[in-house]
Amino acid sequence: MSRMSDFLSDVKKRREELKAKRPSSFGDVKTSVQDNVIWKSIFRPGSIYRKGYRDTSRDRALAAMNNVLYHLHPVKVKRHGLKLTYTYCLGGLSFFLFILLTITGIFLMFFYRPTAGAGSELAYLDMRNLSASVTFGHLVRNMHRWGAHLMVFTVFLHMARVFYHGAYKPPREFNWVVGVILLTLTLLLSFTGYLLPWDQLAIWAVTVGTEMMGFTPVFGKQVQFVLLGGVEIGPNTLLRWYVLHVLFVPFVTVIFLAVHFWRIRKDGGISGPL
Amino acid sequence: MSEEVQIDQEVYDRLIAEGKSERIARAKAKAASVRKGKVAAGQELGPKSPEENQQALAAFRERSGGGAATAGAGGGAATATKEVPASRLSPEERAARVSASLGGNGNGGSIGVPASSAHTHRLLALVPPAGIQQVQSKQQDKVYTWPHLLIVEFVALLAMTAVVLVTSFFLDAPLGALANPNLTPNPSKAPWYFLGLQELLRYFHPMVAGVTIPGVGLIVLGAAAYVDKNPSAKPENRKFANMAMTFFLVMWTVFVFAGSFFRGPGFNWVWPWVDGLFFEL
Ligand code: HEM
């Protein structure tokens, strides 16, 4: 019997305690959310979301070191590199557009089937439906399209800025080569995507492009056959370019981007000052 | 052993005067003072000759009375079968020597490896100078990535999002009629970034315009970083490089513009303000 009453009084006491502890303001809620094992296991020391972040040199350093994304950066960067007129953010914007295109592209994939041919023009119909009846479908398609054109443009400008700063000079020669590969990949990404709406604009632009490649010395016809999945543009081409566009080229691009970013740091960070 | 090695002030001052870094000068001055101490104690410097090595070995064997050979009884059995040339220490002898030099404290006197073990050597790396990363970092004017850089990046990200969103809100991506392989539109144009090449098709054989020029162009572009041997990044020192690049960029832009806006039906020349635009993104 006494055991039972002990237990009950324990429970009561615990309840009182909890009541006393119950958060009463936003600050208390914040503290109790931040002050537990799970939160602390996610946000490593130096995270601004962790309890007790202070604006000290130590925590500023940890903020960059202990975050998977910020960790692309060194803890400290050259002051001149921050000036907008040094990089114009062009490399960063190219990368950001790549991310934006990945996100909008995944959205589009939910509503698109790469099928063409008499009686089953799904690709084209899906594009129509996307605009007509998918919530935000029209907007997201526009973003994907304009983002893609913009990325070709920013990558191009990034290359020009790197050139005019002589930022390709030793030890950065190889990263310049990686950059040229990235430029090629960016063009390929854009060009393979161009076919997917399967309208007149798409197939004739691609016809013109692949005809040029058909003039490759010696292997011309083979190159064209592989690219088109046949002697002329058709449903096979669409499937082929779809896979290239959503998987193969992005995959290769991500690898080269990783090398590109890694080399920036290994080559001693951003070049300059001039 | 643990007492701080004195610095040979004279050597230190000389090295500093020669412009050596403080770190190097300190290390060399320490080494000099150690060397001096050895000479003063009558020790010889530098590596021993083979004969001296043999003598030292014999002396050591004498001192340990041959007992060293049977020292590590445990591991000895396994290694005793191995032939060790007489001019070298057997593993047991080596262990005994290490143990002796460490004053034979409880754990067999060896560091990390039990004296009785057959593995009496520790792996210390010999690193060729070329294998060492030479870090010659000067003090630089640097700021913390967080918050300085990350905030700039975040603002750039927001601005770019705004640009893409607003553009997408007001401008629609084209979607023409269903693809029809039998109905060639006039003109048929490639995407804008290839229109420079398509423009070149008017002047060159397709193999030149469509394959050779872009292929060679990309290779030359990549090779430029190796061809340009001028170490300076200052614009005033690289007038030629900048002029050459500007020439190609302008030329390329002109071709893209020509192909985009000045080519109409049959890819013939048109004036956009007279005949209208034949261009789609
Ligand atoms: C997908 C395309 C690309 C992305 C996302 C990208 C991204 C970046 C980023 C974020 C930087 C840091 C500095 C800055 O923002 O300017 C950078 C630097 C650099 N990029 Fe790119 N890049 C791309 C294409 C290229 C191209 C086409 C080239 C040249 C042909 C190139 C050559 C370089 C070089 C040499 C640096 C080092 C510059 C320096 O240290 O000042 N990159 N890139």
Side-chain angles (χ1 to χ4, degrees), chain A residues 80 86-96 98 151 155-156 158-163 165-169 172-186 253 257 260-261 264 267-272, chain B residues 153 221-222:
Chain A
H80 78 91
Y86 193 71
T87 66
Y88 296 95
C89 271
L90 284 165
L93 288 177
S94 309
F95 182 55
F96 173 61
F98 181 76
M151 181 174 165
V155 170
F156 185 74
H158 170 61
M159 181 192 77
R161 115 58 205 156
V162 168
F163 187 89
H165 283 167
Y168 57 82
K169 301 200 169 189
R172 298 185 175 78
E173 316 97 301
F174 182 65
N175 218 14
W176 170 265
V177 175
V178 173
V180 173
I181 295 171
L182 281 171
L183 175 69
T184 316
L185 288 168
T186 307
T253 306
L257 282 178
H260 198 57
F261 297 158
I264 293 173
D267 295 341
I270 205 84
S271 63
Chain B
E153 283 181 350
L221 190 64

Side-chain angles (χ1 to χ4, degrees), chain B residues 23 43 71 174 178 192 262:
Chain B
R23 195 168 54 89
Q43 271 174 284
L178 173 65
W192 63 271
F262 293 86

